[in-house]
Amino acid sequence: MILTNIESVPGMKITGHCGMVSGSTVRAKNFVKDFGAGLKNIVGGELKSYTELLEEARREALDRMQQQAQKLGANAIINVRLATSAVTAGAAEVYAYGTAVKVQQIEG
Amino acid sequence: MGDLLLVIIILIITYTTGSIIEKNHFKKIRQREIALVKKPVVTFGKKLTTNKKIKNVELVAGEAAISGDYFKTFVSSFRNFFGGRMVSFESLMDRARREAVLRMRESAKHADIIVNVRIESAMLNSSEDTSNNQLPQVSVIAYGTAITYER
């Protein structure tokens, strides 16, 4: 599955559209890591557990989007956007959406 | 009196730790940016024109969650009261964004160009509960399309 966040796949041509696909996830870290982040907030620095949390959430949202596209028979998703929203303290929602398309290598 | 002394001691300690961490972080960011200076990153995608053959296209992303410190929180509460630039938080935002963009670029070292870069901020703190002591932290996701040319 090819993912891009531009309106085409460079080097390929679009042969068919399959509609919009999306995937979202809400994830949280365990209370020990939340407590650790609270302590980090006193001294400052990077919150590694929250960076990890965002990475996991992003991967999962993209994964779910790709599963949906696969069901539609697409082999690429273009114009992918990532959006986040605040659900509750210590949790992250990542929402990924894009347009599923069929692409083909340009000959020559 | 004892309470006031404790607050002052905490402020001095967190000012020291916070500024050391920030200084080191900026130093590292600058070094990494210099190392990657030859790899272009652009915020447009539509007008990309190239005659080179394209080998690989993929979505790349990078995340960073940076926390403030007690001193910054303390100082900014005054700033919030009187209004004006919150310098201590400006540097925090800057660090988080640059770190996220750098991580994205480092995850696509093989690529020749990253186009259509977007930077999205996430809120790990709920926006609603401003009343109960919000911890200042900035979390950022940067993403774009990495393109590798055929050699």
Side-chain angles (χ1 to χ4, degrees):
Chain A
M1 185 77 64
I2 302 161
L3 299 179
T4 74
N5 73 342
I6 50 182
E7 280 164 33
S8 61
V9 181
M12 294 192 181
K13 66 166 185 239
I14 294 163
T15 54
H17 289 265
C18 304
M20 185 182 152
V21 285
S22 62
S24 92
T25 180
V26 183
R27 289 185 72 100
K29 281 281 175 193
N30 63 39
F31 68 97
V32 179
K33 291 203 165 153
D34 281 336
F35 183 72
L39 290 182
K40 237 342 181 0
N41 258 299
I42 298 171
V43 291
E46 195 194 337
L47 301 163
K48 290 223 168 67
S49 56
Y50 285 166
T51 307
E52 237 169 66
L53 171 68
L54 280 174
E55 195 182 331
E56 286 164 9
R58 187 248 306 167
R59 280 184 201 285
E60 200 168 322
L62 288 175
D63 216 51
R64 286 186 180 168
M65 182 178 71
Q66 286 180 52
Q67 281 172 18
Q68 209 181 329
Q70 239 151 30
K71 274 183 204 153
L72 294 169
N75 62 357
I77 306 171
I78 57 168
N79 226 354
V80 174
R81 294 276 177 275
L82 295 176
T84 54
S85 52
V87 186
T88 176
E93 195 215 3
V94 175
Y95 180 61
Y97 57 102
T99 307
V101 290
K102 287 183 182 133
V103 292
Q104 215 174 57
Q105 200 86 39
I106 298 170
E107 280 117 52
Chain B
M1 195 62 203
D3 284 355
L4 189 70
L5 202 68
L6 189 71
V7 168
I8 291 170
I9 290 169
I10 292 174
L11 278 177
I12 292 169
I13 292 170
T14 55
Y15 173 71
T16 322
T17 57
S19 49
I20 288 171
I21 289 170
E22 184 162 288
K23 216 177 129 196
N24 286 341
H25 193 194
F26 268 129
K27 207 171 141 192
K28 260 187 218 158
I29 286 176
R30 245 172 266 132
Q31 281 170 356
R32 286 157 71 197
E33 275 176 350
I34 289 166
L36 285 168
V37 83
K38 282 182 181 159
K39 289 279 172 71
V41 173
V42 295
T43 53
F44 62 83
K46 230 178 183 177
K47 295 192 174 77
L48 180 80
T49 46
T50 176
N51 298 323
K52 291 175 190 155
K53 271 198 107 180
I54 285 145
K55 193 171 138 200
N56 190 31
V57 181
E58 66 175 323
L59 192 77
V60 287
E63 295 86 1
I66 309 287
S67 129
D69 54 64
Y70 186 78
F71 181 79
K72 282 187 189 218
T73 320
F74 187 81
V75 171
S76 64
S77 61
F78 277 104
R79 193 40 94 199
N80 211 343
F81 187 77
F82 294 109
R85 275 181 69 191
M86 292 168 106
V87 182
S88 57
F89 283 165
E90 282 176 356
S91 68
L92 205 64
M93 304 297 285
D94 188 37
R95 271 163 71 198
R97 295 221 171 90
R98 283 163 80 176
E99 179 72 42
V101 170
L102 275 172
R103 285 199 180 142
M104 176 190 73
R105 293 170 76 178
E106 279 164 357
S107 74
K109 271 200 172 134
H110 54 277
D112 292 296
I113 186 168
I114 302 176
V115 299
N116 209 18
V117 174
R118 295 283 175 271
I119 300 173
E120 177 81 31
S121 351
M123 292 282 291
L124 288 174
N125 282 328
S126 172
S127 52
E128 271 104 68
D129 58 45
T130 40
S131 54
N132 80 72
N133 239 341
Q134 258 218 339
L135 304 168
Q137 58 195 38
V138 191
S139 10
V140 173
I141 302 181
Y143 61 103
T145 305
I147 297 175
T148 316
Y149 299 129
E150 199 97 55
R151 263 169 255 273

